[in-house]
């Protein structure tokens, strides 16, 4: 069994909270641990006495006194240097562990001997002594982790690897845990989530448990940590401040020679939207061109013969240069999946964007945001954040729910960040809608295209499952936002299609979504 080294920098911790923290370690059901406490030159007189008490109460507790204050990373590095355990356990000086925290972590290590980083669910300990805000986390979700330090507490890292990557970085103080976990997971052989609350994060004045805006400097440090991570991976991307403290956005750049094919099925439909008569496919193309700096775009328009007005096709040809336009006539019963497949067959791009014609791109560089992740190894499919014409959320990734599927956060206001920031954070997810989605050509071919048995419904979920089954990641991309003007009903129709999907993938009726466990 592993030896755990619990490491805790201490600075002016109130005596009551300090003793409760230490007692939570003493109460562990798993006994193979050491506890390294580092006094970061606390000016409060009671701290030395409390540390002396802790050292006397159990021989497994050691105290290091710094001669001058160095900050949380410097103190953590002192503890890391002194630690003799196989794994280091990060415990803040006023928080507490559950009694079974180390026991369950040890069991997870036993089941996954190559694991280098483990994390658990957590909650908060309010000022009134109540446990609130349970945070149930997904399996390892690297894209979400770039946008939000969601793993947070309890974090357990293999000690040798933590030293090998350089330990804690004082220039990242405030987001030093985010930074060290980024560096460890870049090289980790395995990452394991223990799906149980093992850590109580105490709400104290000045603590980010009270609110991320309690430490504004931490947000800036987080941007630096994520940006450094992107550079280490060689990704052409830049981290920026996100929509709210503690969240980050990523601006991606596409190589100029990277050809993108936008596949647009259409019948040339039109209607009034926002007080203006619009022909959907024409305005969709105009918005794609206007809202991106990338210019190597091919438009593949799959149009219904006999239904699409010739003047619409003529206008498409006027908007799009001939070398960037492919027209594919379609004559048959309505089958959106088949139209997408025919469009991809006729296309030439390295990346494919599948897009309804009644979509309008919103926000500059949405295309770079949607397609950019596909240049990273292991990403197979990306889906946009979709808003209705009323600016309500229509789609932010699908969630498996009681044997069916639902649009996560449907009908939320567009400016809300959602449950634990999920609405505004790009992240791994189970499935995305083909209202506006992107994938590489080789992944499309490997997955066998869109399932034409699912002519109108659930073809997007089936494609997402196929791509995940092949070992690729499926991402919801919050930075890629589009409007979708159809009054599309919720995903609760067409029981025959749902039955086909469930038979194909064996979704149990009591299934919960891995990436959205609270839905």
């Amino acid at each position: 069994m592993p030896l755990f080294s619990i490491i805790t920098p201490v600075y002016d911790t109130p005596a009551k909270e300090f003793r409760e923290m230490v007692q939570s370690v003493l109460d562990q059901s798993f006994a193979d641990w050491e506890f390294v406490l580092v006094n970061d030159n606390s000016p409060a007189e009671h701290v030395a006495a409390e540390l002396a008490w802790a050292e006397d109460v159990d021989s497994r507790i050691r105290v290091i006194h710094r001669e001058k204050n160095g900050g949380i990373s410097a103190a953590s590095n002192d503890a890391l240097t002194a630690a003799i355990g196989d794994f280091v356990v990060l415990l803040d000086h006023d928080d507490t562990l559950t009694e079974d925290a180390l026991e369950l972590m040890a069991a997870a290590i036993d089941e996954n001997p190559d694991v280098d980083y483990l994390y658990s669910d957590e909650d908060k300990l309010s000022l009134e002594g109540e446990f609130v805000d349970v945070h149930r986390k997904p399996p390892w979700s690297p894209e979400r982790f770039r946008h939000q330090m969601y793993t947070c507490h309890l974090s357990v890292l293999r000690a040798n690897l933590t030293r090998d990557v350089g330990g804690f970085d004082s220039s990242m103080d405030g987001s030093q845990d985010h930074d060290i976990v980024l560096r460890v997971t870049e090289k980790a052989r395995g990452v394991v989530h223990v799906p149980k609350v093992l850590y109580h994060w105490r709400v104290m004045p000045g603590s980010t448990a009270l609110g991320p805006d309690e430490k504004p400097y931490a947000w800036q440090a987080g941007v630096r940590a994520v940006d450094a991570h992107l550079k280490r991976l060689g990704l052409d991307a830049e981290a920026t401040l996100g929509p709210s403290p503690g969240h980050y956005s990523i601006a991606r750049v596409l190589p100029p020679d990277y050809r993108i094919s936008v596949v647009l099925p259409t019948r040339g439909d039109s209607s009034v939207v926002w007080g203006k008569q619009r022909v959907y496919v024409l305005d969709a193309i105009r918005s794609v061109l206007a809202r991106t700096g990338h210019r190597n775009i091919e438009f593949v328009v799959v149009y219904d013969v006999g239904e699409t007005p010739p003047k619409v096709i003529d206008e498409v040809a006027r908007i799009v240069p001939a070398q960037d336009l492919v027209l594919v006539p379609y004559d048959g019963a309505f089958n959106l999946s088949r139209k997408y497949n025919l469009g991809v067959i006729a296309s030439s791009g390295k990346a494919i964007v599948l897009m309804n014609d009644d979509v309008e791109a919103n926000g500059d560089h949405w295309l770079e945001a949607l397609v950019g992740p596909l240049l990273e190894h292991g990403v197979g499919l990306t889906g946009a954040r979709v808003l209705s014409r009323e600016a309500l959320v229509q789609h932010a990734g699908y969630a498996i729910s009681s044997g069916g599927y639902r649009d996560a956060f449907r009908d939320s206001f567009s400016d809300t960040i959602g449950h634990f920031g999920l609405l505004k954070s790009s992240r791994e997810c189970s499935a995305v809608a083909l209202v506006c989605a992107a994938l590489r050509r080789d992944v499309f071919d490997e997955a066998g295209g869109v399932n034409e048995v699912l002519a109108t419904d659930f073809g997007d979920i089936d494609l997402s499952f196929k791509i995940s089954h092949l070992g690729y990641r499926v991402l919801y991309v919050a930075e890629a936002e589009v409007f979708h003007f159809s009054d599309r009903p919720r995903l609760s129709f067409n029981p025959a299609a749902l039955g086909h999907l469930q038979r194909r993938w064996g979704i149990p009726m009591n299934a919960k979504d891995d990436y959205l466990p609270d839905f």
Side-chain angles (χ1 to χ4, degrees):
M1 301 304 288
L3 173 64
F4 291 108
S5 292
I6 305 164
I7 64 174
T8 300
V10 177
Y11 186 79
D12 283 4
T13 317
K16 176 179 178 293
E17 284 73 16
F18 177 82
R19 291 212 174 197
E20 290 179 359
M21 180 271 296
V22 173
Q23 191 61 50
S24 77
V25 175
L26 296 172
D27 291 341
Q28 287 302 300
S29 57
F30 183 85
D32 291 340
W33 54 263
E34 66 163 355
F35 192 8
V36 184
L37 294 154
V38 179
N39 180 8
D40 195 19
N41 198 27
S42 299
E45 294 182 0
H46 72 275
V47 171
E50 292 299 323
L51 288 165
W53 164 80
E55 202 164 23
D56 287 342
V57 80
D58 195 297
S59 61
R60 293 170 293 180
I61 299 178
R62 289 187 286 147
V63 176
I64 299 171
H65 293 277
R66 290 182 55 85
E67 293 183 358
K68 64 178 182 179
N69 178 261
I72 192 169
S73 290
S76 297
N77 280 330
D78 286 350
L80 179 62
T81 299
I84 62 173
D86 307 291
F87 289 84
V88 292
V89 179
L90 308 186
L91 174 61
D92 287 353
H93 63 171
D94 52 7
D95 297 338
T96 61
L97 303 176
T98 63
E99 291 183 4
D100 58 353
L102 298 185
E103 179 183 350
L104 293 180
M105 285 294 176
I109 293 167
D110 187 49
E111 293 177 6
N112 304 274
D114 288 337
V115 66
D116 289 319
Y117 176 57
L118 306 94
Y119 62 98
S120 76
D121 295 344
E122 66 188 270
D123 61 20
K124 292 177 183 175
L125 180 55
S126 73
L127 295 172
E128 294 74 30
E130 297 177 347
F131 298 120
V132 297
D133 290 346
V134 175
H135 187 184
R136 305 192 190 281
K137 302 169 188 176
W140 178 234
S141 180
E143 190 66 22
R144 180 177 173 186
F145 193 71
R146 293 168 182 167
H147 287 74
Q148 174 195 22
M149 204 300 188
Y150 79 88
T151 64
C152 206
H153 310 302
L154 173 66
S155 281
V156 177
L157 305 95
R158 190 173 292 273
N160 287 340
L161 180 55
T162 307
R163 296 186 188 100
D164 289 345
V165 300
F168 297 86
D169 185 347
S170 292
S171 71
M172 303 295 182
D173 274 2
S175 286
Q176 74 286 337
D177 288 359
H178 197 177
D179 173 68
I180 192 64
V181 174
L182 282 166
R183 285 185 282 124
V184 164
T185 53
E186 288 164 16
K187 299 181 180 296
R189 295 165 299 169
V191 177
V192 169
H193 167 229
V194 178
K196 185 178 179 182
V197 172
L198 303 183
Y199 193 103
H200 305 307
W201 189 8
R202 192 184 299 272
V203 176
M204 296 279 285
S207 167
T208 50
L210 187 62
D213 50 356
E214 289 287 301
K215 293 181 178 179
Y217 67 91
W219 196 14
Q220 294 286 351
V223 170
R224 297 195 301 273
V226 175
D227 199 60
H229 159 76
L230 297 171
K231 300 301 184 289
R232 285 192 298 271
L233 293 185
L235 301 179
D236 198 351
E238 179 182 2
T240 61
L241 295 175
S244 61
H247 297 87
Y248 311 99
S249 295
I250 296 176
R252 297 181 183 265
V253 178
L254 296 173
D257 63 347
Y258 195 74
R259 184 73 160 171
I260 299 172
S261 296
V262 179
V263 176
L264 278 162
T266 188
R267 293 181 300 188
D269 290 341
S270 63
S271 73
V272 175
V273 178
W274 299 334
K276 169 191 169 185
Q277 183 73 30
R278 66 171 62 212
V279 178
Y280 287 138
V281 67
L282 301 180
D283 282 350
I285 292 172
R286 291 188 181 105
S287 75
V288 169
L289 294 172
R291 293 292 195 170
T292 177
H294 192 69
R295 285 292 167 257
N296 198 347
I297 305 173
E298 170 186 69
F299 290 91
V300 181
V301 178
V302 183
Y303 66 97
D304 284 41
V305 175
E307 294 190 46
T308 308
K311 63 180 181 179
V312 171
I313 299 302
D314 292 343
E315 185 64 11
V316 168
R318 191 189 69 79
I319 297 172
V320 182
Q323 69 272 16
D324 295 330
L325 177 63
V326 178
L327 296 173
V328 180
Y330 177 80
D331 189 7
F334 182 78
N335 188 317
L336 185 60
S337 297
R338 184 172 300 161
K339 289 181 179 182
Y340 278 139
N341 289 337
L342 290 173
V344 174
I345 291 169
S347 69
S348 63
K350 291 182 179 179
I352 310 296
V353 175
L354 304 178
M355 187 168 164
N356 285 188
D357 68 346
D358 56 344
V359 163
E360 178 176 299
N362 184 44
D364 294 337
H365 309 296
W366 72 279
L367 186 63
E368 291 88 337
L370 184 68
V371 175
L374 300 177
L375 277 67
E376 183 179 351
H377 175 74
V379 178
L381 176 66
T382 62
R385 167 181 152 95
V386 183
L387 304 181
S388 69
R389 66 176 73 195
E390 297 83 13
L392 299 176
V393 173
Q394 193 178 87
H395 179 78
Y398 287 125
I400 299 170
S401 178
S402 300
Y405 310 90
R406 54 186 288 195
D407 289 300
F409 305 101
R410 175 119 186 181
D411 296 332
S412 298
F413 291 108
S414 62
D415 58 350
T416 59
I417 66 170
H419 185 64
F420 288 105
L422 288 167
L423 187 49
K424 289 291 186 77
S425 295
S426 295
R427 50 183 162 76
E428 279 71 15
C429 63
S430 297
V432 295
L434 298 189
V435 171
C436 185
L439 70 170
R440 294 198 314 274
R441 173 178 300 279
D442 60 310
V443 174
F444 183 92
D445 291 343
E446 189 178 356
V450 189
N451 185 351
E452 294 183 12
V453 173
L454 300 169
T456 57
D457 304 322
F458 300 111
D460 44 12
I461 294 176
D462 181 77
L463 179 62
S464 298
F465 284 1
K466 287 194 290 183
I467 289 172
S468 294
H469 184 71
L470 292 169
Y472 297 101
R473 290 152 54 202
V474 176
L475 305 184
Y476 158 70
V477 182
E479 293 94 339
E481 186 174 88
V482 299
F483 285 101
H484 184 213
F485 298 125
S486 79
D487 297 322
R488 178 173 167 270
R490 299 171 189 272
L491 263 178
S492 58
F493 50 90
N494 200 333
L498 177 60
H500 175 88
L501 192 70
Q502 290 175 327
R503 288 190 299 274
R504 182 172 169 86
W505 294 103
I507 305 300
M509 289 305 294
N510 61 349
K512 293 289 288 182
D513 194 280
D514 286 339
Y515 293 105
L516 295 170
D518 289 329
F519 279 77

